[in-house]
Amino acid sequence: MSLLSFARNAAALLALPVLLTACSAAGTESAADAGPPKAGGTLRLGISSAPDCVDPQQVATNASINVARQLVDSLTDQDKKTGEITPWLAQKWEINADSTVFTFHLRPGATFSDGSPVDAAAVKTSFDGIKALGTKAQLGYGYLAAYKASTVVDPQTVRIEFSAPSAQFLQASSTMSLGVLAPAAFTKTPEQRCQGNGLIGSGPFVFESLKQNQEIVLAKRKGYAWGSSLFKHQGEAYLDKIDYKIVPEPGVRTGSLASGQLDAITDVQPVDEPQFTGNGFSENIRPNPGVVFNLHANTTRGVLTDEKVRQAVLKGVDRAEVVTTVLTPSYKAATSILGSATPLHSDLSQQLAYDQKGAAALLDADGWVPGPEGIRVKNGRQLSASVVFSPVFNQNRSVLELIQQQLRKIGFDLRIEQHTTAETTQIQLSGNYDFLWYNVTRADPDILRGQFSTKAGNRSKLTPGNPLDVALDAQSSTVDTDKRKPSADEVQKLIVDHAYAVPVFELTQVVALSSKAHAVDFEASSRLQLFDAWLS
């Protein structure tokens, strides 16, 4: 019987009614019972979509990042608990007063998989190469927006300069998007690297094979000995190979894990979570840092030009009901526009409390009166706006349909428009939307500058020079956390106070593991880090 047919049968059995229980993070008990980590074996990992590319410098989707992260090392790493930036390829660094010059001192002995050294010249070639990709470097393009040049100071020292303050670059240097590739990789075209051809990194795994829409295989890098200071062990990775099986259908993924044909799966859906909270299974759960799922308002469109209307919508969304009705206890109601796992997150839960009466009072005072079918009207106009979304998260439509019902209680008509991811991107770029529904992952508050600054994404369509712009620029000018925090707090407060966006819930990564799989863990951006993973 084939993997898919066997898994479908198993999924059907698992679809029987189960008692909902709260999910706990990372099956620590089974890991402890299994004894010390062991080397060897192939981790069969089911992922929900086919990576569109495996070049770390070009990818942006979760599926692609979860593959590409294993292939490259970064200059720095980020502690997922504290947000602190720690050594990896760079042993230490200096930053000038206005955060425009970063000097990195590289550790000796690191090499790429072709044997060439990870030196200052290689770092320069890699960063110049990312900049040359332009928008093909989907995440790196933003991180290096003000990149001016890299200079080889000596073989182990590289100086990276920016044309404007770029405090965010220190955190960006820990991401896979700015992972360092060997100079030889740049003799290949971006398209070739996307398919793994010439993909030469210094990471703990190397690219082995890709079968389109079926699987991607990575193999252990022999002799690897320069892991991040945050890794749980040093030396080579434990696993011999990682075999990413592409299994889009959630029921097939869960069935394949239950039947023993996979060792772990990503993107466990809320309805499937209870199946893996016992019986030898465990779950590893971590909320995504960055911008939470939200209704981002275009303040130049229709009724959303009225701040009182936007504030009423913000009060009229019952975030707790969204989590308890559509999602699971693994998910968190938004307490800010930034997720709680983001460094410098502000707790604005009081401002985001559900307040149906307060929302109605705002609309009453603003002249919106009850109209046909309970939808308010004012000067002959209905209180109505549309939201554009794509089903990148399985529960998006269900969440929006519940919000639609909640907002009807205050007389607001939310129209739901589903599009493909590509269509949604075009709509966003054209500005032809009322609300956008999306989230963006990054473990740094500067992610807000990309979405809200009039010098960047400006999804709210604000006027340049507004107070939010000032605060966004201020938080980007220093890496000193104590100095940066007040402006980061101000950014979050302004967004919520003016309801430029309506935060709803934090996206959460849920990975289910069989009793054989251990330490399938996350880095600070809630992407998979498999260096410490092992099989019993």
Side-chain angles (χ1 to χ4, degrees), residues 369-385:
V369 299
E373 300 181 4
I375 302 303
R376 292 175 182 257
V377 293
K378 178 180 178 180
N379 300 330
R381 175 198 282 184
Q382 270 201 327
L383 187 60
S384 178

Side-chain angles (χ1 to χ4, degrees), residues 100 121 204 221 252-253 306 335 375 455 486 501 509 515:
T100 57
R221 167 77 191 278
V252 176
R253 276 200 312 284
D306 186 337
T335 55
I375 302 303
K455 303 169 189 174
Q509 297 304 313
S515 58

Side-chain angles (χ1 to χ4, degrees), residues 72 81 110 171 174 194 204 209 240 242 270 383 387:
V72 286
K81 293 176 182 172
Q171 187 275 335
S174 74
C194 262
S209 64
D240 288 334
I242 307 167
L383 187 60
V387 55

Side-chain angles (χ1 to χ4, degrees), residues 118-140:
V118 180
D119 58 13
V123 173
K124 171 180 167 55
T125 300
S126 196
F127 275 81
D128 288 349
I130 298 169
K131 185 67 176 179
L133 283 169
T135 55
K136 286 182 179 177
Q138 296 184 59
L139 300 175

